[in-house]
Amino acid sequence: MQIGMVGLGKMGGNMAERLRRAGHDVVGYDRDPKVSDVGDLAELVERLQAPRAVWVMVPSGDPTRATVKELAALLSDGDVLVDGGNSHYLDDRKHSEALAGQGIGFVDVGVSGGVWGLENGYALMVGGDPRHVEMLMPVFRSLKPEGEDGFVHAGEVGAGHFAKMVHNGIEYGMMQSFAEGWELLEATDIVTDVAGTFKSWRSGTVIRSWLLDLVARALQEDPDLSELKGYAADSGEGRWTVQAGIDHAVPLPAITAALYARFASRQEDSPAMKMVAALRNQFGGHAVSAVQGQREKGADAPGADVAPPVDPQG
């Protein structure tokens, strides 16, 4: 099958390569001329035979919106546009409605697999009209992992990215659990082989998973993770998952806590914890850590000017 691929970064480039290895005719466009097959989107569309299929793999938000808008002016009745990035499912519905007026189909695909997808395949969560999905099935079959699983036509437009959003929310919670478990093991001298413990869990346990494999790999490369800084960004899908939980009145305590933990990782000195420390000092005379160069202040600190605690149990 012939397909256009817009965005040839880590994911898009590897997906294009996997499709080529499977015998598909891929015409790729990227802003980097070193990896692009064409000079612009207009040339990309000209190179494709109707009915065309164009897969967009660019960052979500404004870059995707701008790309979809530009392609809408170039594609024709019967063509299909695929958004395989991490777009919000509500954007999918807007794009689908806008393109439908021109007879252009729209399919949203949540893609998971990361840098390992080239060799192992990509898990695909698809949303769209069954006719458009069927048109793209040769591509989906080549991209997915071998075997029965790894692909789902999750529902109408938006369902693919909604499923991927929830997938990533679950991923947040799982990663946070592994992280907290690692920190607890490292905090004591009871377990002397932390890396070996994680490695042992890869077989025969109920928590064995690809994420656990990656934990073991990371600890093998850097046993105490000393080469890393405890800072974790979020891609946006964790936030969207929490918001969707609020919108649908579904409690998501684990996913929400994992998202907030990432926010906390970006604070070298938490403003909120400053207030907590100040309040504990005020009502209970509990010791607080002062700014570097100043002395610790607390109930037993020399010169501490603290009123008697109102509630000694606080």
Side-chain angles (χ1 to χ4, degrees):
M1 177 175 174
Q2 187 183 49
I3 188 167
M5 183 70 71
V6 179
L8 302 174
K10 291 180 180 179
M11 287 285 283
N14 281 347
M15 291 170 69
E17 177 60 24
R18 184 173 173 89
L19 288 173
R20 289 189 175 109
R21 291 180 183 180
H24 296 281
D25 178 13
V26 181
V27 181
Y29 168 72
D30 193 271
R31 290 185 299 177
D32 182 357
K34 296 179 182 179
V35 298
S36 187
D37 299 319
V38 293
D40 54 26
L41 290 180
E43 186 180 353
L44 174 83
V45 173
E46 290 175 3
R47 288 270 298 271
L48 299 175
Q49 299 176 358
R52 307 171 186 86
V54 178
W55 190 307
V56 177
M57 285 296 292
V58 301
S60 62
D62 289 339
T64 293
R65 297 185 193 108
T67 303
V68 170
K69 184 177 180 180
E70 186 174 353
L71 285 169
L74 298 170
L75 295 174
S76 306
D77 185 6
D79 295 342
V80 176
L81 191 153
V82 181
D83 179 4
N86 288 330
S87 295
H88 195 279
Y89 69 98
L90 294 179
D91 279 356
D92 295 330
R93 296 175 181 177
K94 295 176 183 178
H95 292 154
S96 178
E97 291 172 2
L99 293 168
Q102 302 173 232
I104 302 170
F106 181 86
V107 173
D108 59 287
V109 183
V111 182
S112 183
V115 296
W116 304 94
L118 174 60
E119 300 299 333
N120 300 333
Y122 300 88
L124 306 174
M125 293 145 271
V126 177
D129 186 290
R131 295 171 302 162
H132 301 143
V133 174
E134 184 60 32
M135 173 183 171
L136 294 160
M137 280 308 300
V139 168
F140 294 149
R141 292 191 188 98
S142 296
L143 286 174
K144 69 178 289 294
E146 294 183 5
E148 182 179 353
D149 299 322
F151 171 87
V152 61
H153 181 190
E156 61 184 14
V157 168
H161 281 146
F162 194 94
K164 178 58 163 47
M165 177 188 73
V166 175
H167 165 281
N168 280 27
I170 293 171
E171 179 186 297
Y172 272 51
M174 293 175 66
M175 291 171 69
Q176 186 65 24
S177 294
F178 282 129
E180 292 174 5
W182 172 77
E183 183 175 0
L184 181 57
L185 288 170
E186 285 283 356
T188 75
D189 57 4
I190 299 172
V191 175
T192 57
D193 187 359
V194 175
T197 299
F198 273 96
K199 187 174 184 296
S200 74
W201 290 345
R202 297 173 63 191
S203 298
T205 72
V206 296
I207 63 170
R208 61 188 185 273
S209 63
W210 186 39
L211 279 177
L212 179 58
D213 292 342
L214 296 178
V215 171
R217 178 189 176 96
L219 292 177
Q220 182 179 10
E221 296 175 351
D222 184 9
D224 58 1
L225 303 185
S226 60
E227 298 179 8
L228 300 175
K229 183 179 180 181
Y231 177 105
D234 68 285
S235 62
E237 288 169 303
R239 302 186 190 204
W240 298 342
T241 306
V242 171
Q243 183 61 54
I246 294 171
D247 294 342
H248 297 276
V250 175
L252 304 174
I255 294 173
T256 302
L259 174 64
Y260 285 179
R262 295 197 182 193
F263 294 165
S265 78
R266 303 167 202 174
Q267 298 178 330
E268 292 186 6
D269 189 13
S270 169
M273 286 301 102
K274 288 183 179 181
M275 179 56 72
V276 170
L279 289 174
R280 292 184 75 247
N281 181 259
Q282 291 294 323
F283 72 67
H286 300 290
V288 295
S289 296
V291 176
Q292 186 175 3
Q294 299 180 12
R295 293 163 59 180
E296 184 180 70
K297 181 179 180 181
D300 299 323
D305 182 15
V306 181
V310 176
D311 180 6
Q313 302 299 319

